[in-house]
Amino acid sequence: MRVVITGATGTIGAALSVALRARGDQVVALSRDAERGRRALGPEAEVHAWPDPLAAPPPADALRGADAVVHLLGEPVAQRWTDESKRRIRESRVLATRHLVTALTTLADGERPHVLVSQSATGYYGPQRDQPLDESAPPGSDFLAEVVTAWEHEARQADPRMRVSLTRTGVVLSPSGGALSKMLPFFKLGIGGPVAGGRQYVPWIHLADVVGALECAIDDEGAAGPINVTAPNPVTNAQLSTVLGRVLHRPAVLPVPGFAVKLLYGEMAEMVTTGQRARPSKLQQLGYRFAHPELEEALRDVLGG
């Protein structure tokens, strides 16, 4: 297969690129800087420049004849939210997706990819308590939920002859980048612990299963519409803290009050102090087999513990 990836140099995109090439697929990357993309992905990668995803569609030549497009592009959400950063977070998802879909619709029959896998997020559901959430749950009304709803709307505008998968990804456990990298320094110093009471659920997933779920979304004709990309066994923040402390052989009993997180991160603290008990119902219906379904084993694999 010929698979086009936007955001191919990010944590998920780079891991997906390696996995696809390992199974014999041809990977085509869209990058703001083609030279940087080649340095990151290796000389065997085909890289096309998409200099400004917010202003213009990607080059049609990069998309023409592809079997699938995986759209992972987006401004990092894990930063202090200001009016400016919130604008970037929204536009990098909504406008870039709009321009990508525009480029796809201009392709002639026979040139158009069969499937668009558009990254989404469990933030779609907004802050929730302990209610289990499958893909039929309604959207929330906070900032992230509104961004994700608009993001998915743009992807749904793709040609109806294309299958569209909306991969609502949770908190990715990876040895580099992501939420875990921000938690580790505190836990390694023995000053980690539950945040804001620790009762909020964390929709975690191992990076390998994110890649596996994306491959499933590319390959399986039944993988259409929203798909929760989360592990089958969500845990609370308190449970995550306890297990992470055990894996690191460090205490994890120092509670972090919600107001302290709010002082540090501002409005973005909502991501940490609230959560979603999202379940991967669609992936399980499709028969996907998780490589790392249990948190402790997943953390030990990621951290080498």
Side-chain angles (χ1 to χ4, degrees), residues 199-279:
R199 292 184 295 275
Q200 66 276 26
Y201 271 83
V202 180
W204 69 273
I205 184 165
H206 191 290
L207 177 61
D209 281 315
V210 178
V211 170
L214 290 171
E215 290 179 313
C216 176
I218 292 169
D219 298 337
D220 196 314
E221 288 298 316
I227 301 172
N228 286 345
V229 180
T230 60
N233 299 299
V235 298
T236 65
N237 178 273
Q239 291 169 323
L240 173 61
S241 298
T242 298
V243 174
L244 181 55
R246 183 161 63 240
V247 170
L248 294 172
H249 307 290
R250 295 289 190 276
V253 295
L254 292 177
V256 181
F259 76 84
V261 181
K262 180 85 174 191
L263 285 174
L264 183 61
Y265 292 119
E267 187 182 352
M268 194 274 284
E270 290 179 7
M271 288 180 56
V272 181
T273 59
T274 63
Q276 301 89 24
R277 193 177 182 180
R279 293 189 174 277

Side-chain angles (χ1 to χ4, degrees), residues 20-231:
L20 291 176
R21 287 200 295 258
R23 71 179 202 176
D25 292 336
Q26 178 186 4
V27 172
V28 180
L30 283 169
S31 176
R32 288 184 177 90
D33 184 331
E35 283 304 317
R36 186 174 67 85
R38 292 185 188 97
R39 289 195 298 271
L41 298 173
E44 69 276 17
E46 180 181 338
V47 183
H48 292 257
W50 187 8
D52 192 351
L54 274 62
D61 285 346
L63 304 171
R64 188 173 288 115
D67 297 289
V69 175
V70 181
H71 182 41
L72 303 174
L73 193 66
E75 174 82 8
V77 173
Q79 57 177 298
R80 189 175 183 88
W81 292 352
T82 62
D83 289 345
E84 174 61 20
S85 64
K86 288 169 74 172
R87 181 191 64 78
R88 292 196 307 269
I89 288 168
R90 180 182 176 86
E91 291 185 353
S92 68
R93 287 160 174 78
V94 175
L95 295 183
T97 305
R98 182 181 303 166
H99 288 137
L100 174 62
V101 168
T102 296
L104 291 170
T105 58
T106 64
L107 298 175
D109 291 346
E111 296 180 336
R112 189 179 302 111
H114 176 66
V115 58
L116 168 63
V117 180
S118 187
Q119 179 81 310
S120 184
T122 55
Y124 172 88
Y125 304 109
Q128 299 287 344
R129 293 185 181 273
D130 59 356
Q131 176 185 357
L133 301 166
D134 66 14
E135 291 84 355
S136 67
S141 58
D142 65 328
F143 167 68
L144 274 184
E146 291 172 355
V147 168
V148 176
T149 301
W151 188 11
E152 291 189 357
H153 172 77
E154 297 298 334
R156 292 179 191 272
Q157 304 313 300
D159 189 293
R161 289 168 291 185
M162 291 182 66
R163 176 168 57 85
V164 176
S165 296
L166 305 166
T167 49
R168 294 175 180 165
T169 305
V171 177
V172 180
L173 302 185
S174 163
S176 61
L180 193 58
S181 67
K182 292 179 171 55
M183 297 170 64
L184 284 176
F186 299 99
F187 278 82
K188 287 180 177 179
L189 291 172
I191 55 175
V195 175
R199 292 184 295 275
Q200 66 276 26
Y201 271 83
V202 180
W204 69 273
I205 184 165
H206 191 290
L207 177 61
D209 281 315
V210 178
V211 170
L214 290 171
E215 290 179 313
C216 176
I218 292 169
D219 298 337
D220 196 314
E221 288 298 316
I227 301 172
N228 286 345
V229 180
T230 60

